[in-house]
Amino acid sequence: MFFLKKLNKKFLKFLSVALFVLTLVLYPSLLGRVPLVSSLSSEVSIIQALAKPLQGSIAPENAPATIQFDTSQAAFASEGSEAKADKKDPVLDFFKMAMGALAGLVLFIFGVTRLSEGLENLGTERMKNFLSKCTTNRFAGVLTGAVATTLLESSSVTIIMVIAMVSAGVLTFVQSLGVVLGSNIGTAVGAQIISLDIKLYVPLLMFAGLLLLFLGKTDRQKTIGIIILGFGLMFYGLEAIDEAMKPFRTYTPFITWMETLGSNPFLGAVVGAIFTVIIQSSSATVAIVITLASSGIIALPAGIAIMLGAEVGTCADTLLSTIGRGSAALRTGVFHLLFNLVSVTVGIIFAPQLVQLAQAISGGGGVGREVANAQMIFNILGVVLVIGFLPIVVRLLERLVPDSQADLERQRRQQEKQKTSEQVGASA
């Protein structure tokens, strides 16, 4: 068993390096940065151009007419092609774009997964102690949830951890609500980091992560290396997706679809929710939206609509984590779903005002920054509007999801266990 675990760790390390190397080798040719075919065709055209003077030396009397005919023909062809280009959209290589976007998505999800796993391994127990000690009231719970989600880089991880702690009796249902609210703010903080322009430093991050991963002497150093490598791969994957999607900037059907999502926020929210359920991460969805918006592929209204949908889609995995956890944990999951549904519904209704507010406070920082700011505004306003009504929400949820007999028995066992531990501590 130990051998299998050790082999599994070695395999994961090898897989991370293999993905990194394969991407560096294959990704440029997929996206056209190293256009192998076009370079060969250009070399052939150069050879043909050099061959024309040689043909002219063999038949000099026909050379001027031939050169004049070719020039006029090329001019006519270029004018005709420009006229056609004005009338028709450019022909896109969808397979090439799909392969480039898929390569970027795989790298991005792999990087996010390694980042989350590294952060969990590094500080899960500490984070549990932090959550249990710093949720004395609803406001402290919000701050605690925001900090925990920012550090763990995942609201789902934070909420699933909270649900497990509620099920184990470490946190009460009331204490968990503030943490759930704060996790939404923590997600928006992560989006602010994604909107920063640090693309030039990403290779340094990945190189530093690899060094720590392979040269680190302790498990802690290697875990930090995995975190840094995952962070770098996440940004590199986003850059790959952005590069693959660039042809859509001038593609009329895609532009029309984005305008439809922007003018119909409900449809945009549905798209965002479905995509988030598929990739199991609202942070990933928002990060991709911010990256594409920064390069002008997605407009601000469509980006905000998809972001709102991601807030609902992230509830899927947290609801799954409540299965078999008891009524208190189920109430926490239901609160997360209802809070996000209500806040997103209000956000869809006031989507035009949210667009204007994000533009006003961003100061011309680009569409990506505006999407990140819109998410921050949306989540902070949602917390502010709901936090004062938490006592009422608690009573409603307790009526909606009452304690079962199994829950009462579990609470009795937890109280007896706590009394036993206190008696043992007092006698010692």
Side-chain angles (χ1 to χ4, degrees), residues 189-356:
V189 174
Q192 293 288 333
I193 297 173
I194 294 293
S195 66
L196 297 176
D197 189 10
I198 59 172
K199 298 175 184 177
L200 293 176
Y201 307 102
V202 169
L204 294 176
L205 284 174
M206 292 189 290
F207 183 68
L210 279 176
L211 287 180
L212 281 174
L213 180 60
F214 289 106
L215 301 180
K217 296 181 179 179
T218 63
D219 291 339
R220 183 179 178 84
Q221 291 177 350
K222 292 182 178 181
T223 302
I224 294 174
I226 292 175
I227 293 171
I228 297 174
L229 179 62
F231 192 73
L233 287 174
M234 181 180 69
F235 276 94
Y236 194 79
L238 288 174
E239 179 67 15
I241 295 171
D242 179 37
E243 190 68 26
M245 299 288 285
K246 277 185 178 178
F248 276 139
R249 290 180 180 177
T250 56
Y251 189 60
T252 303
F254 182 80
I255 295 173
T256 304
W257 186 54
M258 284 294 106
E259 290 175 352
T260 302
L261 295 183
S263 60
N264 187 354
F266 176 76
L267 181 60
V270 170
V271 172
I274 293 174
F275 187 74
T276 302
V277 171
I278 292 173
I279 67 174
Q280 290 291 298
S281 175
S282 62
S283 300
T285 301
V286 175
I288 293 172
V289 169
I290 288 173
T291 302
L292 298 180
S294 299
S295 61
I297 297 174
I298 294 180
L300 179 60
I304 289 179
I306 296 172
M307 176 271 294
L308 292 174
E311 299 283 347
V312 177
T314 192
C315 299
D317 49 357
T318 56
L319 282 176
L320 287 175
S321 67
T322 63
I323 297 176
R325 295 281 189 177
S327 299
L330 179 59
R331 284 195 289 265
T332 301
V334 170
F335 170 76
H336 183 222
L337 174 63
L338 293 179
F339 170 69
N340 282 9
L341 275 177
V342 173
S343 59
V344 166
T345 301
V346 175
I348 290 174
I349 295 173
F350 294 99
Q353 289 76 17
L354 184 59
V355 169
Q356 295 175 0

Side-chain angles (χ1 to χ4, degrees), residues 53-105:
L54 295 176
Q55 294 174 356
S57 63
I58 298 173
E61 63 276 6
N62 295 329
T66 303
I67 295 172
Q68 186 177 359
F69 176 76
D70 289 340
T71 306
S72 61
Q73 192 82 344
F76 177 78
S78 63
E79 290 175 1
S81 62
E82 289 176 1
K84 289 181 180 179
D86 292 337
K87 293 181 181 179
K88 295 183 179 180
D89 291 317
V91 178
L92 301 183
D93 189 347
F94 288 104
F95 179 77
K96 178 181 176 181
M97 293 172 59
M99 291 299 99
L102 183 61
L105 185 61

Side-chain angles (χ1 to χ4, degrees), residues 29-51:
S29 60
L30 285 173
L31 297 184
R33 288 182 175 179
V34 183
L36 300 175
V37 177
S38 61
S39 63
L40 291 175
S41 62
S42 63
E43 290 176 3
V44 172
S45 62
I46 292 173
I47 294 173
Q48 291 176 349
L50 292 175

